[in-house]
């Protein structure tokens, strides 16, 4: 059974810092990995999707990497801003559905 | 990307009653999913709803408790039946867009509290 772990569970940083969120999964047989953002009381916003054949994806200040063989992904956020404060969820797709981690709650203070 | 509307956005219900949650998508999609997010937990898949066939339920979820309808390619409902306080969660609808390399998009969710 696929299990997804996200470390740290919570992170607090001052504005402007670069930061890394970690995601690990137990079964490397995945089709893709997706990073989401969840704001309080709201649904999920898709940030980046990495296909199993890819090593990384970039969107603006966000960069996600994937090392399928070791079962790891990282989400790098450059020059963090207070608006980045949210819970970040990692999800892997072993079949037709997603398996989620519990998320990293990020707080960026001004 | 697909735009998903969920209704209601939140509700407070009494024990023993049922609530039906609606999910409307602005484009035709083959696969729709229903997730539950219990307080402090991550998302757990309840079932996959494909148009024209019975929903496929994950382990631990049954049709009598969570009946699902999928009458067409843009709409689905999830009913939470005979509710108890343990059903207090956020329920989220999701769709997959194959054209966008199998990206999943989510609605804003329904925050349910059962007293």
């Amino acid at each position: 059974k696929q299990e997804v772990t996200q470390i740290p569970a919570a992170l607090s940083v001052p504005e402007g810092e670069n930061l890394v969120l970690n995601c690990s999964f137990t079964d490397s047989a995945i089709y893709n990995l997706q990073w989401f953002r969840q704001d309080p009381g709201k649904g999920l916003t898709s940030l980046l999707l990495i296909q199993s054949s890819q090593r990384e994806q970039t969107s603006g200040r966000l960069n996600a990497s994937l090392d399928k063989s070791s079962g790891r992904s990282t989400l790098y956020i450059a020059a963090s801003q207070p608006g980045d404060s949210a819970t970040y969820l990692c999800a892997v797709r072993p079949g037709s559905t997603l398996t989620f981690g519990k998320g990293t709650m990020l707080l960026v203070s001004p | 990307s697909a735009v998903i509307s969920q209704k209601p956005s939140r509700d407070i219900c009494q024990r023993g009653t049922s609530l039906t949650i609606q999910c409307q998508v602005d484009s035709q999609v083959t696969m729709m999913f229903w997730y539950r997010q219990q307080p402090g937990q991550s998302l757990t898949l309840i079932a996959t709803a494909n148009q024209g066939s019975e929903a496929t339920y994950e382990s631990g979820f049954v049709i009598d408790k969570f009946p699902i309808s999928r009458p067409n390619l843009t709409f689905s409902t999830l009913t939470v039946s005979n509710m108890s306080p343990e059903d207090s969660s956020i329920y989220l609808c999701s769709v997959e867009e194959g054209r966008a390399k199998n990206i999943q998009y989510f609605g804003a969710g329904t925050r349910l509290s059962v007293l």
Side-chain angles (χ1 to χ4, degrees):
Chain A
K1 177 185 174 185
Q2 179 74 266
E3 292 185 2
V4 181
T5 303
Q6 290 188 246
I7 295 173
L11 181 63
S12 182
V13 300
E15 181 177 7
E17 274 204 8
N18 303 324
L19 56 99
V20 175
L21 308 181
N22 296 291
C23 171
S24 62
F25 45 96
T26 54
D27 188 344
S28 62
I30 62 171
Y31 288 110
N32 59 43
L33 182 146
Q34 202 165 348
W35 282 93
F36 294 89
R37 166 186 174 138
Q38 185 175 29
D39 293 280
K42 297 188 178 181
L44 277 66
T45 301
S46 179
L47 297 173
L48 289 165
L49 179 140
I50 310 177
Q51 301 293 351
S52 63
S53 58
Q54 298 175 322
R55 297 283 292 183
E56 65 177 337
Q57 282 287 322
T58 299
S59 176
R61 293 182 294 108
L62 305 180
N63 175 275
S65 68
L66 174 63
D67 184 343
K68 203 172 76 160
S69 61
S70 67
R72 295 173 186 265
S73 176
T74 60
L75 179 67
Y76 175 81
I77 303 177
S80 58
Q81 303 171 356
D84 295 329
S85 298
T87 296
Y88 290 80
L89 295 165
C90 165
V92 298
R93 186 167 178 243
S96 59
T97 61
L98 292 176
T99 302
F100 282 84
K102 290 188 176 181
T104 294
M105 185 181 300
L106 173 64
L107 177 63
V108 182
S109 53
Chain B
S1 63
V3 177
I4 304 168
S5 301
Q6 256 187 262
K7 292 181 182 179
S9 58
R10 59 175 61 226
D11 207 341
I12 301 173
C13 300
Q14 296 296 321
R15 181 195 298 261
T17 63
S18 297
L19 176 71
T20 295
I21 302 168
Q22 299 180 2
C23 179
Q24 179 77 51
V25 189
D26 68 343
S27 59
Q28 293 185 338
V29 293
T30 302
M31 301 183 77
M32 296 181 77
F33 308 92
W34 287 99
Y35 288 83
R36 180 176 74 180
Q37 186 177 29
Q38 293 177 301
Q41 301 297 313
S42 190
L43 280 74
T44 301
L45 181 66
I46 297 172
T48 302
N50 293 331
Q51 193 265 338
S53 62
E54 293 278 338
T56 303
Y57 289 83
E58 297 299 303
S59 176
F61 297 96
V62 295
I63 188 171
D64 290 346
K65 176 67 177 177
F66 298 101
I68 289 171
S69 78
R70 181 80 200 272
N72 56 52
L73 291 174
T74 63
F75 187 79
S76 178
T77 66
L78 170 75
T79 299
V80 186
S81 304
N82 188 24
M83 288 184 285
S84 66
E86 292 71 34
D87 294 319
S88 298
S89 295
I90 300 174
Y91 292 85
L92 296 117
C93 169
S94 171
V95 303
E96 180 180 275
E97 273 198 344
R99 292 172 299 163
K101 301 179 181 179
N102 305 119
I103 294 178
Q104 283 203 8
Y105 298 98
F106 285 77
T110 296
R111 185 178 294 270
L112 171 63
S113 297
V114 184
L115 305 178

